[in-house]
Amino acid sequence: MSRIPISSPPIKRVVAIASVVVGCLVSPIPTYSQPTNSASNTPSLQDMLEFNLDLSGRGSPRSGNRTGGASRSLCGGSQSGESLFALIPDTNVGLTVEEHPTFWFYIPDGANTFDSMKFALWSDQGEKVYETTYPVTNALPGVISISLPPTLPALKENQYYNWIFTVYCEDPQAAIVRTDPKRVRVRGSIQRVPLTAELQQGLNRALTPRDRAVVLARNGIWFDPLTLIGNLRRTQTANYALAMDWSNLLEDIELDAIASKPITECCSALAQ
């Protein structure tokens, strides 16, 4: 199937295959239903097959790390040696247009040996914006999402925010380990950008969440297309088109090995 050309420069990548076999799968790949035709006038992600976007080139690289190292050395419970991952470009920064965006992470196997997880967000000036800790649930391992609550002040446009996601192997509040708890973490940055007139017009013409994801991705936005497709993928696990969409997004940032991992129900109600 031919691809729709996009103005952003392409990156080197392997052509997306929804049924790619990834080592140490945590669940078998389901049998997908065939895609249905969209009533939208804008091209779907499935029509595009590949985004051909260099999302990692949007914005200046920031300090951070999107992988937390092999979990085998973390809590001793991993059989695969997989790592904790943040689903972000390798520049450690991604763009959003949302006031309260959603962040995505891959929790490897061995999660039953974890004690807890913590997400924290700071402004670029070092002011703490949000922090929450919550227990590991039985739904792990898999891909999880963490959304900023709507009660928080909206992220300011054109400003960077830095975040850290930490997985603890032991209770960080226990006196015996409080000074140096065993943990692994990933960190990165997010920037909220304003909606341009062109982008707003494109979103106004989009009739479905998948169409919105196309418009946003074409404009170099990372977090929001991932959230739109990820939320659909979570509930429509046998949908072939969504599986391709998800795979294409992750391949664009060279995290295609995670594309076949399950998206689990986690962290929708964070402990304050």
Side-chain angles (χ1 to χ4, degrees):
M1 183 179 296
S2 62
R3 307 185 186 95
I4 296 175
I6 301 174
S7 58
S8 301
I11 58 175
K12 294 180 180 179
R13 48 179 292 179
V14 178
V15 175
I17 303 176
S19 59
V20 62
V21 178
V22 181
C24 306
L25 291 179
V26 295
S27 65
I29 299 176
T31 301
Y32 298 112
S33 60
Q34 291 301 310
T36 58
N37 293 331
S38 173
S40 170
N41 293 325
T42 58
S44 69
L45 305 187
Q46 176 61 17
D47 293 333
M48 296 170 68
L49 281 184
E50 295 181 76
F51 284 110
N52 285 334
L53 297 176
D54 186 4
L55 291 172
S56 61
R58 302 298 182 96
S60 301
R62 305 275 291 184
S63 61
N65 58 291
R66 68 175 183 175
T67 178
S71 59
R72 178 176 298 162
S73 61
L74 171 62
C75 298
S78 173
Q79 299 300 315
S80 66
E82 293 180 320
S83 300
L84 172 70
F85 268 97
L87 274 55
I88 56 173
D90 60 7
T91 52
N92 302 314
V93 62
L95 305 182
T96 181
V97 297
E98 295 293 330
E99 295 181 348
H100 303 94
T102 297
F103 302 80
W104 294 79
F105 305 94
Y106 174 65
I107 309 296
D109 66 335
N112 61 338
T113 64
F114 301 163
D115 174 81
S116 57
M117 302 182 290
K118 182 171 72 172
F119 178 84
L121 181 74
W122 289 269
S123 71
D124 218 20
Q125 293 73 41
E127 300 173 346
K128 184 177 290 186
V129 175
Y130 180 64
E131 181 178 286
T132 187
T133 302
Y134 44 96
V136 176
T137 69
N138 293 331
L140 303 178
V143 175
I144 67 168
S145 61
I146 297 176
S147 299
L148 295 183
T151 53
L152 284 180
L155 297 189
K156 297 179 180 180
E157 293 181 345
N158 296 318
Q159 290 197 20
Y160 284 101
Y161 293 82
N162 305 310
W163 52 263
I164 296 178
F165 179 68
T166 305
V167 172
Y168 291 98
C169 296
E170 50 196 357
D171 183 1
Q173 299 303 316
I176 193 172
V177 299
R178 188 175 300 150
T179 57
D180 189 24
K182 194 175 182 181
R183 65 193 178 188
V184 65
R185 56 176 45 173
V186 288
R187 64 177 71 199
S189 301
I190 186 171
Q191 184 187 31
R192 183 187 171 202
V193 295
L195 284 169
T196 63
E198 180 181 2
L199 178 54
Q200 185 63 70
Q201 290 174 0
L203 293 174
N204 291 342
R205 290 192 298 268
L207 301 182
T208 69
R210 294 177 73 229
D211 294 334
R212 288 178 59 86
V214 170
V215 173
L216 290 163
R218 280 178 162 177
N219 284 269
I221 308 301
W222 170 249
F223 283 97
D224 310 335
L226 189 71
T227 298
L228 287 166
I229 299 303
N231 286 339
L232 292 172
R233 182 92 173 91
R234 178 184 276 121
T235 57
Q236 302 179 41
T237 57
N239 187 296
Y240 174 83
L242 291 176
M244 290 296 296
D245 296 343
W246 183 251
S247 178
N248 293 334
L249 277 168
L250 293 182
E251 287 193 26
D252 276 323
I253 60 167
E254 300 181 351
L255 289 183
D256 47 293
I258 296 176
S260 60
K261 306 300 185 180
I263 301 176
T264 68
E265 293 290 344
C266 171
C267 315
S268 58
L270 306 181
Q272 301 299 316

